[in-house]
């Protein structure tokens, strides 16, 4: 069964149609890029999957269920904004995640923090932007979730941090879970993706595998994306 | 060696070529055990499913075999490895000849030049 499914999913904000009758399915074991220019509807889709927004019409199903308490237990979400309380230390955040999520693997998180040389007593506000991003990702990827929704995980980080983030995604790969990465920085993530979904003005314009695009078009997904979304 | 990928070819086929090169060059000797899919994927910085597909392709071509629990190994069939080596060599020669043709050399001139060089 698909871990994420959208059926004629629409979301409207006043006069703005953010998503227009979207249909898609994401299967477990896949790493999927949700690709589109700014304002195309990527974040809206991810927020709908999290239950942070509700559909105007149509359905979004996580493991066959509408977003709610049960689905939140199996969805691990990385927001595109920094949302961790600044006064908390890495250790307090791990306590927090342990309380909130039954599937949080504290040992895994600790190990990843140690490997990066991040002191557990360090507070978020004492950390550099790159370190904060890494800590957020470590917390999110340390859950044994069925669906990881990563909204712009590599936006605005230096190349070394970006490599670390992509490495962490591969390292934690689990064949029974799906990972959705929303980004407009395609060249950077292309190698770690199985499939891509192109989203444009609230419409899904393409759902294909990376190697299918490369095989059929004779160019990278990045080059193809630039062609499709040419301004 | 860094894993660098071209933009105009599928990633899995580039992985196949790269591992093949390791096998024919002896960097991965006959009978050698390959790292796990996950470790190879991490090393190359690619998705594990893509690496898996590349290894399956190498298996299909008979260059790699898997043993249920022990993992994947390079074939011990050195004749098969030599065959691949020859195919790769032919590809190199073809592209070399094509390049020389573009420079305006005919076959005899190329051979003469090669002898001069040797």
């Amino acid at each position: 069964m698909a871990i994420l499914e959208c059926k004629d999913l629409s979301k409207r904000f006043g006069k703005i149609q953010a998503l227009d009758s979207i249909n898609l399915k994401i299967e477990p074991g896949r790493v999927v890029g949700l690709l589109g220019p700014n304002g195309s509807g990527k974040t809206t889709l991810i927020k709908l999957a999290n239950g942070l927004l509700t559909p105007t019409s149509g359905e979004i199903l996580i493991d066959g269920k509408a977003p709610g308490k049960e689905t939140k237990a199996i969805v691990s979400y990385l927001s595109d904004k920094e949302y961790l309380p600044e006064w908390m230390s890495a250790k307090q955040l791990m306590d927090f995640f342990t309380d909130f999520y039954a599937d949080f693997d504290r040992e895994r998180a600790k190990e990843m923090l140690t490997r990066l040389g991040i002191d557990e007593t360090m507070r978020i506000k004492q950390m550099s932007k790159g370190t904060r991003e890494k800590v957020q990702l470590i917390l999110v990827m340390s859950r044994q979730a069925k669906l990881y929704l990563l909204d712009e995980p590599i936006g605005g980080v230096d190349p070394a941090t970006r490599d670390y983030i992509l490495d962490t995604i591969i390292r934690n790969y689990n064949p029974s879970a799906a990972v959705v990465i929303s980004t407009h920085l395609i060249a950077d993530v292309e190698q770690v993706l199985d499939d891509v979904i192109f989203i444009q003005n609230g419409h899904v314009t393409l759902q294909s595998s990376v190697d299918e695009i490369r095989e059929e078009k004779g160019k990278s997904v990045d080059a193809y994306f630039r062609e499709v979304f040419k301004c | 060696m860094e894993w660098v990928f071209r933009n105009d070819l599928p990633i899995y086929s580039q992985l196949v070529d790269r591992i093949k090169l390791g096998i024919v060059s002896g960097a991965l000797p006959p009978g050698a055990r390959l790292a796990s899919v996950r470790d190879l994927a991490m090393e190359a910085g690619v998705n594990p499913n893509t690496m898996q597909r590349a290894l399956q392709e190498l298996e299909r071509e008979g260059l790699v075999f898997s043993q249920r629990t022990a993992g994947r190994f390079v074939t011990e069939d050195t004749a098969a490895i030599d065959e691949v080596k020859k195919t790769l060599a032919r590809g190199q020669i073809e592209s070399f000849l094509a390049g020389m043709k573009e420079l305006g050399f005919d076959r005899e001139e190329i051979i003469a030049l090669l002898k001069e060089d040797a």
Side-chain angles (χ1 to χ4, degrees):
Chain A
M1 185 168 54
I3 185 72
L4 175 69
E5 185 172 8
C6 300
K7 293 182 187 167
D8 293 321
L9 178 70
S10 295
K11 180 66 187 177
R12 178 188 284 278
F13 299 106
K15 281 186 186 156
I16 299 161
Q17 188 79 45
L19 291 177
D20 191 6
S21 275
I22 281 190
N23 286 291
L24 60 86
K25 270 187 190 181
I26 293 173
E27 303 291 334
R30 309 298 282 183
V31 182
V32 182
L34 186 60
L35 314 177
N38 294 320
S40 54
K42 304 189 295 290
T43 296
T44 301
L45 181 58
I46 286 183
K47 285 188 171 170
L48 283 162
N50 270 311
L52 295 172
L53 294 171
T54 52
T56 305
S57 63
E59 261 187 312
I60 185 161
L61 300 172
I62 312 293
D63 207 17
K65 297 176 213 71
K69 205 175 134 194
E70 280 173 67
T71 68
K72 284 180 187 182
I74 57 167
V75 174
S76 192
Y77 168 51
L78 180 72
S79 159
D80 61 340
K81 299 193 176 61
E82 287 184 18
Y83 69 100
L84 300 175
E86 288 215 317
W87 55 269
M88 277 191 164
S89 66
K91 181 174 179 301
Q92 285 170 313
L93 284 164
M94 285 193 287
D95 293 340
F96 199 56
F97 267 66
T98 308
D99 280 348
F100 257 91
Y101 303 110
D103 63 356
F104 183 65
D105 183 344
R106 190 177 185 126
E107 283 313 304
R108 197 203 281 186
K110 273 182 95 144
E111 189 200 302
M112 285 200 266
L113 289 173
T114 310
R115 200 176 326 129
L116 279 177
I118 298 173
D119 181 358
E120 281 184 27
T121 61
M122 203 174 183
R123 293 178 192 280
I124 291 287
K125 68 175 166 218
Q126 297 170 307
M127 296 174 186
S128 68
K129 184 175 160 60
T131 304
R132 287 180 197 197
E133 303 256 359
K134 285 179 203 151
V135 169
Q136 281 199 34
L137 184 83
I138 286 172
L139 291 169
V140 167
M141 295 309 290
S142 294
R143 286 185 54 197
Q144 314 264 19
K146 282 193 169 173
L147 177 62
Y148 297 87
L149 299 171
L150 313 178
D151 198 358
E152 294 286 357
I154 55 165
V157 300
D158 63 76
T161 305
R162 181 199 59 206
D163 285 352
Y164 175 79
I165 289 172
L166 296 177
D167 211 57
T168 303
I169 292 169
I170 300 174
R171 191 187 300 271
N172 289 297
Y173 174 79
N174 170 357
S176 61
V179 182
V180 177
I181 305 172
S182 113
T183 188
H184 53 264
L185 304 169
I186 301 165
D188 291 340
V189 295
E190 191 162 341
Q191 276 171 228
V192 309
L193 301 178
D194 286 301
D195 305 308
V196 293
I197 295 170
F198 279 14
I199 179 163
Q200 185 173 26
N201 298 325
H203 295 271
V204 169
T205 54
L206 175 81
Q207 185 171 11
S208 177
S209 86
V210 168
D211 275 348
E212 256 167 48
I213 292 176
R214 284 171 166 251
E215 215 145 0
E216 279 167 24
K217 315 287 177 193
K219 57 182 79 167
S220 66
V221 175
D222 183 52
Y224 184 57
F225 180 90
R226 284 167 201 263
E227 190 181 293
V228 172
F229 291 99
K230 199 165 186 212
C231 298
Chain B
M1 198 160 43
E2 271 283 308
W3 295 71
V4 182
F5 299 99
R6 286 170 55 165
N7 280 332
D8 52 348
L9 290 171
I11 295 165
Y12 91 91
S13 66
Q14 298 183 61
L15 294 171
V16 169
D17 291 347
R18 175 67 186 267
I19 298 168
K20 244 184 214 176
L21 197 60
I23 294 172
V24 301
S25 71
L28 293 167
R33 186 170 183 277
L34 295 175
S36 70
V37 172
R38 187 185 299 249
D39 287 347
L40 283 170
M42 293 262 306
E43 192 193 317
V46 301
N47 179 302
N49 292 318
T50 310
M51 184 55 81
Q52 175 79 11
R53 184 172 173 199
L55 293 172
Q56 278 167 352
E57 176 63 25
L58 287 163
E59 250 174 53
R60 211 184 49 80
E61 292 182 29
L63 284 174
V64 156
F65 66 97
S66 62
Q67 263 174 357
R68 230 162 242 279
T69 50
R72 275 199 179 79
F73 300 84
V74 176
T75 181
E76 281 158 11
D77 181 353
T78 49
I81 295 173
D82 283 344
E83 202 48 53
V84 173
K85 197 167 181 171
K86 259 186 215 153
T87 311
L88 291 176
R90 263 182 227 117
Q92 290 286 344
I93 290 170
E94 264 168 41
S95 64
F96 166 73
L97 288 178
M100 291 301 278
K101 203 175 161 193
E102 250 178 85
L103 290 175
F105 289 96
D106 66 27
R107 221 182 157 76
E108 273 73 52
E109 287 169 320
I110 295 169
I111 293 168
L113 262 178
L114 279 174
K115 280 188 176 149
E116 235 174 76
D117 217 41

